[in-house]
């Protein structure tokens, strides 16, 4: 039998990070809110209501298209895509069909080993990017199904790739790089735990050297990189076994579902075609038109993309793994960037954020969201820089900030941790130190500079770390 080649293409749905939904003014952040509380007659599809496209969503989708090197189409249409399911209150989804927001583009990705070392790179073509609204969420409990429509009407970008990926590993590396781009652009928070980025993966086989695309199996609704990887590996193996048995590819396109708990795919149906969806132009929304000038203005607003950011971080003295850690964790990146802006010192910032902050969060088993935010960290750093506390005491303050959720100012006041910089108070301590350490004084006077450290250490211990070590040094030298 000829050698077989695996062909993979993805459809990615990413929730856009806008304040309001795609076609109405409802709160777009429904996470953790009571069911059916962020809805209105528009996103519920009540008769007589009219959808109005969200300008911020359109802008973010254009920026994303440009970051993916796509061509933004100057004329855009919305279309109705029909299917009947209880999660879809309107009975159709407002999507884009033959005049999508953008066409073409590509994403370059890197495949690394577990230690972050680059193994090889690749590129995947982008077919199109279009905007649409999300459906609600169904929860099945035995024979009962609960409907929560908070998510209905949330703005989505659907990004469709060319069938350029050749393995599950390539698909995952591409998807991770795409996620980084969305985060860098600020068009999606792409939080996988909150289901903000979901994949449908199409996979087929063909004999190596042939060009024809065979019927594919489309795996629906993969909500994590792990699921994407496992589902593709499973389906690839299954299709290869089928090929061996039948001597050829699938007879027609099929749709399968990934069963996360059983780690296998299950046949859902023969794949629906565009005809099944009865697409037709959305009569309530006029076509959107962009001029070349509009598009070029937006291109100028593009922030640095992940590979560029990575280079900036390594220039600051971070290693590649640290740089990727920041790029992959936007909450952490925000804190790091704010601290760097204040200190202008990559090493110091990395010590404060990547070593201390992450270290304390880890020992206290807390997430970045549960720790101090950027403003909280800056307040702490101000207290170090203006001499209120020493760098050492700052570590204790940070640990307590994470424990209690209180601010640096509150903790310093409560625990009486202010650094003693007052000359009078320190002089008294230094006098005691001279009396208590005659041997060390003797060796310092006979020329052993290192002995001074022992005396300073005594003062620091006596003051419970609150004496300003520089003031101690200065006064000690004056006295001796
Ligand atoms: Zn609404
Ligand atoms: Mn879609």
């Amino acid at each position: 039998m000829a050698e077989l080649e695996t062909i993979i293409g993805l459809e990615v749905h990413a929730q856009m990070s806008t304040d309001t939904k795609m076609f109405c003014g409802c709160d777009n952040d429904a996470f953790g809110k009571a069911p059916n509380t962020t809805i209105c007659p528009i996103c519920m599809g009540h008769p007589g209501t009219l959808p109005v496209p969200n300008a911020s969503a359109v802008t973010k989708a254009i920026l994303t298209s440009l970051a993916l090197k796509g061509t933004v189409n100057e004329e855009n249409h919305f279309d109705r895509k029909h299917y009947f399911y209880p999660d879809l209150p309107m009975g159709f989804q407002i999507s884009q069909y033959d005049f999508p927001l953008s066409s073409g583009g590509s994403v370059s990705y890197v495949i690394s080993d577990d230690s972050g070392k680059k193994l090889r790179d690749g590129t995947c073509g982008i077919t199109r990017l279009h905007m649409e609204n999300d459906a609600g969420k169904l929860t099945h409990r035995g024979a009962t199904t609960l409907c929560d429509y908070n998510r209905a009407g949330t703005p989505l970008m659907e990004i469709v790739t060319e069938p350029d990926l050749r393995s599950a590993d390539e698909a995952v590396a591409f998807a991770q790089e795409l996620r980084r781009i969305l985060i860098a652009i600020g068009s999606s928070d792409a939080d996988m735990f909150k289901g903000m980025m979901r994949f449908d993966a199409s996979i087929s086989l063909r004999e190596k050297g042939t060009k024809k695309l065979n019927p594919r199996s489309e795996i629906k609704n993969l909500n994590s990189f792990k699921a994407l990887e496992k589902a593709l590996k499973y389906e690839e193996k299954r299709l290869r076994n089928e090929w061996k048995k039948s001597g050829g590819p699938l007879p027609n396109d099929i749709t399968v579902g990934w069963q996360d708990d059983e780690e296998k795919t299950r046949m859902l149906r023969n794949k629906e075609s565009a005809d099944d969806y009865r697409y037709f132009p959305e009569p309530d929304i006029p076509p959107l038109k962009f001029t070349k000038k509009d598009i070029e203005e937006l291109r100028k607003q593009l922030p640095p993309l992940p590979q560029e950011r990575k280079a900036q971080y390594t220039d600051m003295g971070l290693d590649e793994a640290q740089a990727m850690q920041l790029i992959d964790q936007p909450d952490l990146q925000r804190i790091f960037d704010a601290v760097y802006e204040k200190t202008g010192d990559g090493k110091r910032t990395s010590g404060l954020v990547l070593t201390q902050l992450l270290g304390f969060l880890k020992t206290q088993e807390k997430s970045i969201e549960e720790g101090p935010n950027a403003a909280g960290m800056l307040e702490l750093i101000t207290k170090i820089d203006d001499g209120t506390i020493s760098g050492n005491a700052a570590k204790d303050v940070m640990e307590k900030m994470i424990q209690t959720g209180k601010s640096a100012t509150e903790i310093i006041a409560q625990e009486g941790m202010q650094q003693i910089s007052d000359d009078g108070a320190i002089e008294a301590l230094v006098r005691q130190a001279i009396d208590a350490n005659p041997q060390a004084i003797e060796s310092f006077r006979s020329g052993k500079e290192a002995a001074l450290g022992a005396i300073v250490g005594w003062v620091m211990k006596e003051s419970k770390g609150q004496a300003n070590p520089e003031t101690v040094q200065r006064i000690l030298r004056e006295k001796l």
Side-chain angles (χ1 to χ4, degrees):
M1 191 172 88
E3 201 187 334
L4 294 177
E5 178 179 45
T6 302
I7 310 292
I8 296 169
L10 298 181
E11 275 177 28
V12 184
H13 284 93
Q15 244 178 52
M16 285 194 256
S17 58
T18 51
D19 294 335
T20 55
K21 291 186 181 178
M22 188 72 219
F23 299 112
C24 63
C26 285
D27 188 352
N28 187 32
D29 182 16
F31 194 79
K33 302 213 166 99
N36 299 311
T37 54
T38 61
I39 57 172
C40 75
I42 299 174
C43 52
M44 287 300 94
H46 290 192
T49 58
L50 286 174
V52 177
N54 178 340
S56 160
V58 175
T59 303
K60 289 186 177 209
I62 294 178
L63 285 169
T64 308
S65 300
L66 296 173
L68 302 180
K69 304 187 200 100
T71 304
V72 175
N73 297 312
E74 289 173 39
E75 181 160 335
N76 260 247
H77 294 190
F78 284 101
D79 297 280
R80 291 186 177 182
K81 176 180 181 178
H82 296 80
Y83 67 91
F84 298 103
Y85 207 62
D87 65 358
L88 195 65
M90 292 195 247
F92 57 86
Q93 181 184 35
I94 305 180
S95 183
Q96 296 190 283
Y97 188 53
D98 38 15
F99 291 86
L101 182 67
S102 74
S103 313
S106 66
V107 170
S108 296
Y109 56 86
V110 173
I111 295 183
S112 314
D113 66 10
D114 290 339
S115 70
K117 196 173 147 270
K118 176 176 162 176
L119 298 174
R120 62 197 166 88
D121 43 24
T123 298
C124 180
I126 303 289
T127 313
R128 57 189 267 145
L129 181 153
H130 70 248
M131 298 174 284
E132 59 189 29
N133 57 1
D134 208 348
K137 205 171 188 167
L138 303 182
T139 307
H140 304 287
R141 287 212 185 130
T144 314
T145 296
L146 303 172
C147 307
D148 176 8
Y149 293 111
N150 282 351
R151 203 180 67 186
T154 287
L156 296 178
M157 291 179 283
E158 180 176 325
I159 299 158
V160 183
T161 79
E162 292 291 300
D164 288 347
L165 302 159
R166 293 290 171 269
S167 68
D169 292 344
E170 289 188 8
V172 171
F174 161 81
Q176 285 174 331
E177 188 62 19
L178 176 63
R179 175 173 180 267
R180 292 180 192 118
I181 293 172
L182 302 182
I183 291 169
I185 296 293
S187 60
S188 173
D189 293 338
D191 187 325
M192 311 295 289
F193 288 109
K194 295 182 185 170
M196 288 180 179
M197 198 177 176
R198 314 190 286 268
F199 311 102
D200 300 327
S202 284
I203 176 168
S204 63
L205 303 175
R206 71 180 172 201
E207 286 181 2
K208 230 178 177 153
T210 62
K211 285 279 165 259
K212 190 172 148 264
L213 289 171
N214 287 317
R216 60 200 162 109
S217 166
E218 183 177 9
I219 316 168
K220 285 296 209 189
N221 253 323
L222 302 164
N223 294 325
S224 67
F225 296 121
K226 259 273 136 329
L228 177 64
E229 181 185 352
K230 283 186 175 171
L232 278 171
K233 283 188 170 155
Y234 176 90
E235 196 64 0
E236 180 179 38
K237 206 166 152 192
R238 194 182 72 81
L239 292 179
R240 278 173 190 266
N241 286 336
E242 288 295 314
W243 188 298
K244 245 181 242 165
K245 271 190 252 161
S246 67
L250 290 168
N252 55 282
D253 290 344
I254 58 168
T255 301
V256 302
W258 173 244
Q259 313 298 117
D260 231 342
D261 38 354
E262 296 165 50
E263 302 205 343
K264 51 169 76 158
T265 58
R266 200 181 66 195
M267 174 77 179
L268 295 177
R269 53 186 177 261
N270 287 326
K271 195 175 158 42
E272 52 288 88
S273 68
D275 290 348
D276 297 329
Y277 288 125
R278 296 189 298 113
Y279 277 100
F280 66 74
E282 166 59 59
D284 290 336
I285 305 175
L288 301 181
K289 289 192 174 142
F290 312 112
T291 63
K292 282 202 175 65
K293 202 170 143 245
D294 295 335
I295 297 164
E296 290 318 305
E297 279 306 312
L298 284 173
R299 196 188 299 279
K300 285 184 206 149
Q301 291 176 26
L302 275 181
L305 296 181
Q307 294 310 319
E308 229 173 298
R309 294 295 335 247
K310 185 178 165 193
Q312 289 171 350
Y313 287 128
T314 49
D315 286 347
M316 286 178 200
L318 270 55
D319 61 38
E320 291 206 353
Q322 287 175 320
M324 291 320 287
Q325 191 179 15
L326 291 177
I327 289 165
D328 286 339
Q329 297 182 76
D331 288 338
L332 185 65
Q333 189 178 17
R334 266 191 285 278
I335 295 173
F336 186 96
D337 289 349
V339 172
Y340 180 78
E341 198 181 313
K342 185 174 172 73
T343 64
D345 180 339
K347 255 215 146 60
R348 184 174 178 214
T349 306
S350 145
L352 285 164
V353 178
L354 297 178
T355 311
Q356 295 179 23
L357 177 63
L358 278 189
F360 289 134
L361 287 171
K362 196 174 169 198
T363 45
Q364 297 185 32
E365 295 179 350
K366 288 194 170 157
S367 69
I368 294 159
E369 271 180 334
E370 293 171 295
N373 60 13
M377 286 293 287
L378 295 183
E379 188 181 319
L380 173 65
I381 293 163
T382 303
K383 296 289 177 194
I384 307 172
D385 291 352
D386 69 10
T388 309
I389 50 170
S390 66
N392 244 335
K395 284 188 204 163
D396 295 335
V397 176
M398 199 195 294
E399 189 173 14
K400 293 202 170 79
M401 284 165 73
I402 297 166
Q403 261 160 15
T404 62
K406 288 185 179 148
S407 73
T409 310
E410 283 173 300
I411 289 164
I412 293 165
Q414 209 169 50
E415 311 268 322
M417 293 171 92
Q418 287 92 337
Q419 183 160 252
I420 305 168
S421 299
D422 171 60
D423 276 16
I426 290 185
E427 223 178 293
L429 282 165
V430 166
R431 228 175 282 126
Q432 287 175 40
I434 292 172
D435 290 343
N437 298 281
Q439 267 185 329
I441 301 291
E442 188 68 22
S443 34
F444 177 74
R445 287 203 165 117
S446 66
K448 279 197 186 138
E449 186 72 16
L452 202 66
I455 310 167
V456 174
W458 189 92
V459 174
M460 294 309 293
K461 200 172 161 203
E462 200 61 21
S463 70
K464 301 196 179 69
Q466 281 170 260
N468 180 333
E470 280 156 36
T471 316
V472 175
Q473 283 249 10
R474 176 171 54 79
I475 292 178
L476 192 53
R477 278 181 194 278
E478 280 166 18
K479 289 264 170 260
L480 298 175

